[in-house]
């Protein structure tokens, strides 16, 4: 059977090169416009948020190469970020004055040094550790992260517990964006080659891949080294942007934060991991201006959410939202009310005094939600599902009221929670924990799953059939 009979699209090498050339030119035009037009118009806070968001998006993409694409379970990724940051900070402190290099050239050199240092660490640690699987590998990588942190904490040459002051703050914002684009391109192009198939084979069935001749240990070590090298590059940019680094910047919670970004964005989705890293880094800043949350209300909501979520999957499966029914109609009405609220929120957010980058991000997310629900071929079932989610949230809020009253009557909770309030901006990890629980119950593969955010994916939402590309050499 010929390829044409299968309805696939053949792509020749000149076409591939042309597309890549256009993509490269578009990338540099975007960075030039950002550097000359957009970045100077933004405030320092907005530029800082872009840098931190892009760095965490890069870390998320690099960890996705290990966890999502190769199917390993590493939870010590902040260690490679830390190695890249401390290595380049040390080199800049002791050797920058010895070389008369331009700042951008020195920064490029430091990025390479951070990649090499973190890549070597990934290889040394990964070679014996990646013979492990599942939980054992997770424990090994977690232990490695703590070992790196404790060793640096006890090294006076690396600043010890106090930290290192980097004399050269030279990181332009476009450099960080370029690294993010580079990490996405590396991961994306890797999957488009025969080597990428080995990564996917190891993820899907390591035993079967080994039986087919794939060197699984080599494949896993390669993914580990590439992911670690990209994290080291991000560490180099971080140290030269901050100008001062300490071990508190690379604690264990940073590894869990990056892991949460990968899981929420979609394990195996490069663009999903990048988008999750970008938006979830902006989240604390968006929550900063919200009023403080009383401890009674917070824990009452958590208890109510746990109770409701225990029964939600069974109730959801009993609903027939794919076909016309009374349940579907009622949930669609609730979903439409929610969409109107989302549209108003997109307007209201621009009347608030919050960073521009947060306003833009929230507005884009809401517009994406509206487009995905209103203009796709499955709009009715999707809106019904959206209405179901809103109904669950409303029920949780209602149930939290009597639970809150109950907590105010218990002597133990009165002693703990009376007069206690939490700043919304510091509830990032509880928010991630709740979001992860909801995600695991409703969509274990993450928002994008194994799909990529691309034009073909967007066209698929609107009912266009996806064309399978066949590379002809």
């Amino acid at each position: 059977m010929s390829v044409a009979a299968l309805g696939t699209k053949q792509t020749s090498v000149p076409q591939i090169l042309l597309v890549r050339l256009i993509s490269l030119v578009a990338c540099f035009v975007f960075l030039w416009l950002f550097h000359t037009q957009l970045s100077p118009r933004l405030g320092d806070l907005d530029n800082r948020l872009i840098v931190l968001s892009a760095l965490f998006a890069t870390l998320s993409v690099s960890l996705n190469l290990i966890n999502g694409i190769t199917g390993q379970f590493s939870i010590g990724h902040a260690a490679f970020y830390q190695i890249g940051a401390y290595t380049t900070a040390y080199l800049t402190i002791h050797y920058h004055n010895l070389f008369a290099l331009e700042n951008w050239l020195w920064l490029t050199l430091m990025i390479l040094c951070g990649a090499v240092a973190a890549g070597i660490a990934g290889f040394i640690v990964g070679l014996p550790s990646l013979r492990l699987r599942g939980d054992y590998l997770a424990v090994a990588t977690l232990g490695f992260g703590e070992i790196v942190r404790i060793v640096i904490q006890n090294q006076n040459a690396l600043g010890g517990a106090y930290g290192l002051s980097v004399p050269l703050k030279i990181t332009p914002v476009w450099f960080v964006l370029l690294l993010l684009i580079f990490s996405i391109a590396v991961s994306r192009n890797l999957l488009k080659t025969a080597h990428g198939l080995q990564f996917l084979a190891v993820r899907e069935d390591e035993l079967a891949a080994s039986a087919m001749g794939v060197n699984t240990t080599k494949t896993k070590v390669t993914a580990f080294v590439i992911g670690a090298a990209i994290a080291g590059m991000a560490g180099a940019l971080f140290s030269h942007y901050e100008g001062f680094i300490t071990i508190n910047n690379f604690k264990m919670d940073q590894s869990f934060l990056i892991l949460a970004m990968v899981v929420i964005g979609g394990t195996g989705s490069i663009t999903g991991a990048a988008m999750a890293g970008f938006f979830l880094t902006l989240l604390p800043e968006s929550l900063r201006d919200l009023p403080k949350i009383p401890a009674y209300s917070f824990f009452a909501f958590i208890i109510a959410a746990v109770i409701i979520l225990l029964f939600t999957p069974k109730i959801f499966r009993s609903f027939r939202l794919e076909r016309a029914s009374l349940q579907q109609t009622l949930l669609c009405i609730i979903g439409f009310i929610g969409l109107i609220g989302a549209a108003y929120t997109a307007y209201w957010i621009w009347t608030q005094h919050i960073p521009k980058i947060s306003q833009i991000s929230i507005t884009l997310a809401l517009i994406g939600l509206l487009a995905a629900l209103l203009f796709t071929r499955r709009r009715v079932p999707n809106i019904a599902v959206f209405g179901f989610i809103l109904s669950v949230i409303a029920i949780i809020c209602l149930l939290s009221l009597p639970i809150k009253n109950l907590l105010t009557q218990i002597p133990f909770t009165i002693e703990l929670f009376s007069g206690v309030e939490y700043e919304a901006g510091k509830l990032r990890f509880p928010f991630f924990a709740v979001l992860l629980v909801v995600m695991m119950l409703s969509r274990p593969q993450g928002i994008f799953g194994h799909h990529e955010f691309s034009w073909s994916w967007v066209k698929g939402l609107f009912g266009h059939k996806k064309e399978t590309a066949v590379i002809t050499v």
Side-chain angles (χ1 to χ4, degrees):
M1 185 178 292
S2 67
V3 173
L6 291 171
T8 57
K9 178 183 178 182
Q10 293 192 18
T11 305
S12 61
V13 171
Q15 288 176 314
I16 295 174
L17 294 178
L18 178 62
V19 169
R20 293 192 176 183
L21 179 62
I22 293 174
S23 301
L24 194 62
V25 171
C27 169
F28 280 106
V29 168
F30 165 73
L31 293 175
W32 178 77
L33 289 175
F34 180 86
H35 181 64
T36 59
Q37 302 297 324
L38 184 58
S39 182
R41 300 172 191 271
L42 298 174
D44 292 338
L45 178 59
D46 286 311
N47 280 307
R48 176 176 175 76
L49 289 175
I50 293 173
V51 169
L52 296 180
S53 301
L55 284 177
F56 272 94
T58 303
L59 291 171
S60 181
V61 170
S62 61
L63 181 62
N64 182 64
L65 186 63
I66 302 170
N67 285 23
I69 295 174
T70 317
Q72 304 307 300
F73 190 25
S74 171
I75 53 176
H77 207 60
F80 304 113
Y81 185 42
Q82 186 176 16
I83 290 172
Y86 270 90
T87 300
T88 55
Y90 183 86
L91 292 175
T92 298
I93 292 171
H94 292 88
Y95 298 103
H96 176 254
N97 291 331
L98 300 180
F99 300 93
L101 296 178
E102 295 289 338
N103 287 344
W104 69 270
L105 186 57
W106 179 261
L107 181 59
T108 304
L109 182 62
M110 289 300 98
I111 291 173
L112 296 176
C113 290
V116 171
I120 292 174
F123 178 78
I124 293 175
V125 176
L127 193 58
S129 301
L130 287 178
R131 297 183 184 275
L132 306 173
R133 296 181 182 178
D135 298 340
Y136 301 102
L137 176 60
V139 172
T141 53
L142 180 64
F144 167 68
E146 281 302 287
I147 289 171
V148 171
R149 190 182 66 82
I150 292 172
V151 167
I152 292 177
Q153 185 178 3
N154 290 281
Q155 288 291 327
N156 293 330
L158 297 177
Y162 176 72
L164 276 181
S165 179
V166 184
L168 201 61
K169 295 180 64 175
I170 52 176
T171 305
V173 181
W174 69 270
F175 239 91
V176 184
L177 294 176
L178 179 61
L179 177 61
L180 173 60
I181 295 172
F182 170 77
S183 63
I184 293 175
V186 168
S187 300
R188 181 74 172 159
N189 289 335
L190 182 64
L191 290 184
K192 292 293 183 183
T193 64
H195 298 290
L197 295 178
Q198 297 181 8
F199 288 78
L200 297 177
V202 171
R203 181 187 70 189
E204 297 301 326
D205 193 326
E206 186 174 339
L207 186 61
S210 180
M212 295 300 294
V214 175
N215 188 336
T216 56
T217 300
K218 179 183 176 182
T219 302
K220 290 190 290 185
V221 170
T222 302
F224 214 84
V225 170
I226 295 175
I230 294 175
M233 293 181 183
L237 289 178
F238 177 75
S239 64
H240 287 82
Y241 178 78
E242 288 291 285
F244 182 82
I245 56 173
T246 172
I247 55 173
N248 292 327
N249 298 126
F250 312 97
K251 292 192 296 187
M252 189 188 302
D253 57 1
Q254 298 297 309
S255 292
F256 290 123
L257 179 61
I258 301 167
L259 179 63
M261 292 171 177
V262 173
V263 173
I264 293 173
T267 51
S269 173
I270 300 167
T271 49
M275 293 173 70
F278 200 90
F279 283 104
L280 293 180
T281 307
L282 292 175
L283 179 66
E285 191 61 36
S286 303
L287 297 175
R288 194 180 299 277
D289 294 329
L290 294 178
K292 292 183 177 179
I293 302 174
Y296 284 121
S297 300
F298 177 72
F299 283 98
F301 184 85
I302 295 295
I303 295 172
V306 171
I307 294 173
I308 296 300
L309 290 176
L310 286 176
F311 303 99
T312 298
K314 186 176 181 180
I315 297 173
F316 181 78
R317 285 193 293 269
S318 67
F319 283 8
R320 299 181 181 278
L321 302 181
E322 297 292 332
R323 62 183 66 175
S325 63
L326 179 60
Q327 296 169 343
Q328 187 191 63
T329 303
L330 292 176
L331 290 175
C332 281
I333 294 173
I334 297 173
F336 271 115
I337 295 173
L339 290 177
I340 294 172
Y344 176 76
T345 303
Y347 160 76
W348 174 80
I349 203 71
W350 287 91
T351 64
Q352 305 302 306
H353 297 288
I354 62 175
K356 290 292 182 187
I357 189 65
S358 296
Q359 292 176 330
I360 295 172
S361 302
I362 295 173
T363 303
L364 288 177
L366 292 174
I367 291 175
L369 175 67
L370 292 170
L373 293 178
L374 286 178
F375 303 108
T376 59
R377 58 175 178 170
R378 296 185 73 255
R379 69 173 66 85
V380 174
N382 287 342
I383 293 175
V385 172
F386 182 59
F388 179 81
I389 295 173
L390 293 180
S391 303
V392 170
I393 296 174
I395 293 172
I396 291 174
C397 292
L398 291 175
L399 182 61
S400 66
L401 296 178
I403 295 176
K404 177 184 175 182
N405 291 331
L406 179 63
L407 292 177
T408 58
Q409 306 300 322
I410 301 174
F412 175 71
T413 54
I414 292 175
E415 183 180 354
L416 283 178
F417 302 146
S418 181
V420 178
E421 292 181 331
Y422 302 119
E423 294 181 15
K426 295 182 178 179
L427 294 176
R428 176 174 58 171
F429 282 101
F431 177 83
F432 285 165
V434 173
L435 189 59
L436 279 173
V437 171
V438 173
M439 186 64 68
M440 290 301 102
L441 290 174
S442 59
R443 190 173 170 81
Q445 67 272 34
I447 295 176
F448 285 94
H450 293 164
H451 302 287
E452 297 295 344
F453 183 79
S454 59
W455 285 117
S456 60
W457 181 78
V458 173
K459 288 190 291 187
L461 292 177
F462 290 85
H464 293 272
K465 292 184 179 179
K466 184 178 180 181
E467 294 180 331
T468 303
V470 176
I471 301 174
T472 304
V473 179

